[in-house]
Each structure stands twice: as structure tokens, then as C-alpha cells.
Amino acid sequence: MKSILIALFSVMFIFGCSNNPDSVTLKSGVKYSDLKVGTGAEAKNGDLIEIQFKGWIIKDSSNLFSDWSVDSTRKVDLIADSYAMNQPMKLVLGTESFIKGSEEGIVGMKAGGQRTIIIPSNCAYGPQGMGPIPPNTNIKLMIELTSSKEAVVAKMWDVDSTLFKTTASGLNYAIIKEGEGDLIGKEKQATVNYSGFLLNGSKFDSSVERDESFTFVVGVGQVIPGWDEGVQLMKKGGKARFIVPSNLAYGDRDLGKIPPNSTLIFDVEVLDVK
């Protein structure tokens, strides 16, 4: 979910005068050039990686491989900066959890390395654009790979079908483990691990695989309505499954790995409550 809320971008770029003699062009058209070659583990699809990054939309294709972070004229085009937020990102490489088109450019980096990646529009968000990113806009990323390791694979839990109940809103849920203490109240801060699946069993997100728990304030709209309601049925240390109808999830929005009007399945464990 988090990773879904963080990843926004797209691009239209002329390669002619912008080539770097040390750059590599992939079959897709994505280009990259290493600023610094790391000495740690090499990142491959399926690995859990942690990155710091900056991202720009490309309006001017000159000096594509120079350091735009020190160019004051490029500040207006900056669309993401994990350094400024002091918030590195974890993701499982190859699962389309980051900016569309970026992950193939990260494959092969070594921990400690830095790389510039140029993503043409047709590999990113094309004519649709995404959020504040205009249609047909190319993207430049500067990526620092801080770590890479083999990822844990999260699987859907086996749940006794007789445990399920349905709330008045239509949320279907099963408490698998009760936990301790009081039910989680509105405006409490909950820290959870979760994995999310479509009805066909395909996984679209997992904090377990990212090795990164998720913290939010309950009942104030920081998460989808099905979560705000479901977590208030749980206690610290508890485990539950939520089957969330689309009207309590993302409705008719198309989020890539989550198609419009999707019913979602979440396996949730409450780690802490404050």
C-alpha cells in the first residue's frame, strides 16, 4: 500500500544530443549510466532492496547525465527526493513497486553504487500521465542502492472459513488470533505487517517482503475505509484477514496491479498500538 501511495511518474524525451559515451541502452529504451559502482551485493529481480533517490521530469534533454541536484534551474522539475524526506524506500525488485520503467534500470547495481536512469515515456506512464506528471513526459532518476538481499516470500494464510463475519458496511473479516488488551480505538497509532492479494491470489503488496512495517493513525482516513474499520476490530498482537469490497478500497481507480473495482484480500498482523 505504502509503496503504491509513494510511486508516481512519466516522460517525452529526445535522445539525439544527450548521449553519454558510458551510458547503456536497454532493449526497452531505458538508459542508465553509473555515477559510482558499488562493492556490495548485486541487485537482481526478486531481491529486497533499499534505495535513496531523486526524480525529475525532463523538459530539456540537454546534459541528461549531469548532476541535476546541483543545478538550480532544474529544481522546478524535481518531483521526488527521498533524501529531503529522510525516507529511503524498500521494495522487492521486479514487482513494479516503484516508478514504472525504473526497476529494469536498477537490476545489476551493487550496494553502495549510484546510477542515473533515463526512462522514456513509453516505458513509464505514456499518454495517460500520472498525478502531477504530464502525459508523454520522460523521467530522470538518480538512484543510490544502499542494500540488496534475498527477499522473504509472503504467502496467503490458510484461514478457517467458519471464522468469517460481515459488518454492516460489507467488510468481510476473520479474526485468526485475538491478541491482547482492548480493541484498537479511533485515533490510536497502529503498526502492522500486511500482505495484499487480489481474488485470483496474485499479490500486489507486502510489508513482510519489504521488511518494513506500516504505521498509521486509525480511523482518520489515512488508509482505505476497509482498513480503518477492520483494524478497529483487532487488538495488539492480533491477526486477521480482511476481504474488502471495492467501495471500501480503491473503487473504480486503476492502480496498475490493482484493477478498477477490485475486491481485495489483506492478511494483517498488529505489531504495536500507541
Side-chain angles (χ1 to χ4, degrees), residues 53-78:
F53 61 95
K54 293 185 178 184
W56 296 262
I57 57 173
I58 300 174
K59 295 179 180 177
D60 173 5
S61 60
S62 62
N63 301 315
L64 277 177
F65 292 96
S66 65
D67 185 357
W68 285 11
S69 64
V70 297
D71 184 347
S72 60
T73 66
R74 302 286 187 174
K75 286 184 179 180
V76 67
D77 300 325
L78 184 69

Side-chain angles (χ1 to χ4, degrees), residues 27-249:
K27 289 183 179 180
S28 64
V30 171
K31 289 190 173 188
Y32 70 82
S33 179
D34 286 316
L35 302 169
K36 175 184 177 184
V37 176
T39 58
E42 182 173 320
K44 60 184 184 299
N45 281 330
D47 284 352
L48 173 66
I49 65 170
E50 182 177 82
I51 58 173
Q52 293 273 23
F53 61 95
K54 293 185 178 184
W56 296 262
I57 57 173
I58 300 174
K59 295 179 180 177
D60 173 5
S61 60
S62 62
N63 301 315
L64 277 177
F65 292 96
S66 65
D67 185 357
W68 285 11
S69 64
V70 297
D71 184 347
S72 60
T73 66
R74 302 286 187 174
K75 286 184 179 180
V76 67
D77 300 325
L78 184 69
I79 51 176
D81 187 347
S82 68
Y83 296 94
M85 297 173 65
N86 193 27
Q87 189 175 2
M89 182 176 181
K90 290 183 179 180
L91 65 140
V92 177
L93 193 57
T95 59
E96 298 183 6
S97 300
F98 192 41
I99 299 162
K100 190 175 181 182
S102 65
E103 293 183 41
E104 64 173 315
I106 298 173
V107 171
M109 289 185 69
K110 294 183 178 181
Q114 297 177 336
R115 178 174 288 182
T116 298
I117 301 173
I118 307 298
I119 311 170
S121 172
N122 64 300
C123 295
Y125 297 100
Q128 293 78 29
M130 174 65 78
I133 310 306
N136 301 314
T137 303
N138 297 334
I139 300 167
K140 169 175 174 168
L141 296 175
M142 291 179 62
I143 302 288
E144 179 182 2
L145 180 66
T146 56
S147 67
S148 178
K149 64 181 180 180
E150 186 174 350
V152 173
V153 177
K155 296 182 178 181
M156 192 181 293
W157 296 340
D158 292 325
V159 180
D160 183 349
S161 61
T162 64
L163 295 176
F164 282 94
K165 299 178 181 179
T166 304
T167 68
S169 69
L171 174 67
N172 199 8
Y173 73 98
I175 301 298
I176 302 165
K177 179 182 176 183
E178 279 291 335
E180 299 178 349
D182 297 328
L183 293 174
I184 301 171
K186 185 177 181 180
E187 298 185 353
K188 290 288 188 178
Q189 180 175 282
T191 299
V192 303
N193 264 331
Y194 69 90
S195 295
F197 306 86
L198 301 179
L199 287 179
N200 64 9
S202 63
K203 182 169 50 198
F204 58 83
D205 192 16
S206 175
S207 68
V208 177
E209 292 186 346
R210 290 197 308 275
D211 190 27
E212 185 176 47
S213 59
F214 175 54
T215 299
F216 66 103
V217 178
V218 178
V220 298
Q222 292 185 354
V223 292
I224 58 175
W227 265 56
D228 265 340
E229 181 179 7
V231 171
Q232 292 184 73
L233 301 169
M234 300 180 68
K235 302 175 181 179
K236 180 179 178 179
K239 294 183 178 182
R241 170 165 293 169
F242 304 151
I243 301 179
V244 185
S246 63
N247 64 301
L248 299 177

